[in-house]
Amino acid sequence: MNESNAPATFQLPEQMSTVAADVDWLYYFIYWLSVVLFVAIVGAMIYWAIKYRERKGHKAEPTGHNMPLEIAWTVAPVFILVFLFHKGFHGYMDMAIAPANAIEVRVNAKQWAWEFIYPNGGSSAELHAPVGKPVKLIMGSGDVIHSFFAPALRVKRDVVPGMYSSLWFQGTHVGRDDIFCAEYCGGRSKGPNGDELSYEPSDDPRNPYPAGQATGHWAMHSMLYVETQDDYDKFIKSIGDKCEEYKSQGKVCPDSVAAEGGQKLAVSKGCMACHTTTGVRLIGPSWKELWGKPESTDKGQVKVDENYLRESILDPQAKVVTGFQPVMPTFRGQIADQEIDELIAYIKSLK
Ligand code: HEC
Ligand SMILES: [Cu+2]
């Protein structure tokens, strides 16, 4: 565990994640490179503008083409750009792919709050993470576009209705930081009945935001707590360790309590008429060990993740599994977002 708090620097806040040092290094490299080039180019311009200004008794002598110079100032930037691309791409890949053992936390963004749902099914308005352990956020929005931003972690990602986006981080030391919604939009938007409504809280009965309530993306402020494993375990217990409850009833603890809801839904929504969880093939593919596997479809090979499952339920013909007929009906409009989450949790639990 790294206890040393990298302090805030000239332009950037404190570093609290494993990627922060690389992100900042690249940021400052580009920053200082720009400063040096700016000073050199503008300096040379000013120098020559003065040196060769129009004066009495001076005649202009046009210079010809200078091949070595042309080559030098074309090739040098190419090397710099290739280096920057290499650094940037490397950092991007590190940030894009979460370690397989990451703790998965579901994030719901809504007007105007964040909700974090932990693997035991408990939820909280704040994000807690054990120090030195990777945490993956799987984020969805029930209304408009939001944007998850934790400055000290150097991570930021849009949260878009109708799909999942994800990011991961690993806290380097115990500490706390702000979480913001970095989505920017004006103060007006469509209300529930299509009216133009102000986000300003008011007593207008059509306004979903009553007077006195903070509204707007800026009001979606939350806190990140990177804490010791002990403190994290305590926190998880405090939001209700549903697994303990299951075990005390002699049942196996599901991946998440949502999985149990998903199992009931799969029956009540009629999925089990075409799908099984045992590996047996009916009209549709079995869900056994479906999660995470590469699936071959008419649009090529895809990895079975949240987005793929969601699309399979709402728009089954978007990617048709090889060897099956495109006969699955769409469940768009007949299934709530939360129910889709539960079905996904269920399918996940069958891996
Ligand atoms: C009428 C039969 C039928 C019903 C009912 C049905 N499905 Fe399907 N499902 C299929 C078929 C056929 C496929 C394969 C073809 C395709 O990809 O569209 C499929 C594919 C899928 C896939 C992709 C599986 C894979 O192997 O990649 C998922 C996930 C899925 N269905 C979920 C559901 C859920 C959830 C429900 C209930 C809400 C449901 N299905 C109801 C027939 C059905
Ligand atoms: Cu927002």
Side-chain angles (χ1 to χ4, degrees), residues 172-341:
T172 48
H173 58 268
V174 171
R176 48 191 274 175
D177 190 49
D178 300 291
I179 289 170
F180 298 107
C181 176
E183 199 51 61
Y184 173 80
C185 70
R188 299 193 142 260
S189 110
K190 290 267 187 280
N193 37 23
D195 299 342
E196 273 252 312
L197 278 182
S198 167
Y199 283 161
E200 291 304 310
S202 76
D203 290 326
D204 184 337
R206 296 169 313 156
N207 191 335
Y209 314 116
Q213 189 183 316
T215 63
H217 293 281
W218 61 269
M220 298 174 68
H221 177 258
S222 176
M223 289 303 291
L224 161 76
Y225 297 94
V226 175
E227 49 202 14
T228 61
Q229 186 71 47
D230 266 6
D231 285 349
Y232 177 74
D233 291 343
K234 262 186 226 140
F235 162 76
I236 287 293
K237 258 215 150 64
S238 76
I239 56 169
D241 192 340
K242 305 261 172 55
C243 284
E244 290 301 315
E245 226 170 89
Y246 275 88
K247 281 183 199 141
S248 71
Q249 293 165 9
K251 292 193 228 161
V252 271
C253 177
D255 190 24
S256 147
V257 181
E260 189 148 293
Q263 183 171 13
K264 293 199 186 102
L265 277 170
V267 175
S268 66
K269 295 279 176 188
C271 315
M272 303 327 277
C274 302
H275 295 282
T276 73
T277 58
T278 53
V280 174
R281 174 190 169 137
L282 298 180
I283 298 166
S286 172
W287 291 345
K288 190 183 180 198
E289 277 150 23
L290 175 62
W291 176 257
K293 85 167 190 191
E295 183 70 287
S296 60
T297 74
D298 60 342
K299 305 276 155 58
Q301 188 157 312
V302 291
K303 186 170 177 273
V304 176
D305 60 6
E306 286 91 359
N307 276 323
Y308 172 74
L309 289 180
R310 194 187 166 85
E311 184 187 68
S312 296
I313 296 167
L314 294 178
D315 190 5
Q317 268 76 66
K319 297 187 187 78
V320 178
V321 183
T322 310
F324 290 87
Q325 297 300 312
V327 293
M328 175 166 158
T330 173
F331 285 84
R332 193 180 288 283
Q334 298 160 43
I335 204 158
D337 260 7
Q338 197 217 324
E339 294 179 320
I340 296 176
D341 280 354

